[in-house]
Amino acid sequence: GGEGNVGDNGYARLFKLEELKRINDDYEISEYISGYVVLGTDGGGMLLGYSDKTKTYFAVDACAIDENDIFYEAETFEEFFRKMDEELE
């Protein structure tokens, strides 16, 4: 786990490996968006994660977890954070 600024505008908190199963179970991720796993949060209501289904990193609103409402989708972690930072300018 870890947390900090992402670029000039973003922020991320990545959960500890030991917490991932519990957090994904708590948010019922497999029920709402099967094939996805939550890895962290932006500290402002967005969940950050990875999709084994689409092979992309993503963000989704923690209160409206739906595959049709995915944000900042990218193939690499670096590209994902760059898109997130640019979107928040």
Side-chain angles (χ1 to χ4, degrees), residues 42 46-49 57-61 66 69-73 80 84:
D42 73 346
M46 297 293 280
L47 298 173
L48 313 177
Y57 294 90
F58 70 93
V60 67
D61 189 314
D66 186 283
D69 294 323
I70 298 291
F71 296 91
Y72 319 131
E73 202 166 19
F80 169 75
M84 188 171 92

Side-chain angles (χ1 to χ4, degrees), residues 21-53:
K21 181 174 178 354
R22 180 187 54 78
I23 290 167
N24 280 269
D25 288 348
D26 287 351
Y27 279 104
E28 300 176 336
I29 297 301
S30 64
E31 292 178 35
Y32 292 111
I33 48 178
S34 180
Y36 291 71
V37 62
V38 168
L39 303 173
T41 180
D42 73 346
M46 297 293 280
L47 298 173
L48 313 177
Y50 180 77
S51 169
D52 192 44
K53 181 178 173 181

Side-chain angles (χ1 to χ4, degrees), residues 4-14 41-43 46-49 58-60 71-74 77-89:
N5 294 329
V6 175
D8 295 325
N9 307 296
Y11 176 85
R13 176 178 178 255
L14 301 178
T41 180
D42 73 346
M46 297 293 280
L47 298 173
L48 313 177
F58 70 93
V60 67
F71 296 91
Y72 319 131
E73 202 166 19
F77 216 35
E78 182 181 348
E79 179 186 0
F80 169 75
F81 283 128
R82 189 172 37 254
K83 281 185 172 185
M84 188 171 92
D85 183 48
E86 289 170 0
E87 187 72 25
L88 296 172
E89 283 184 1

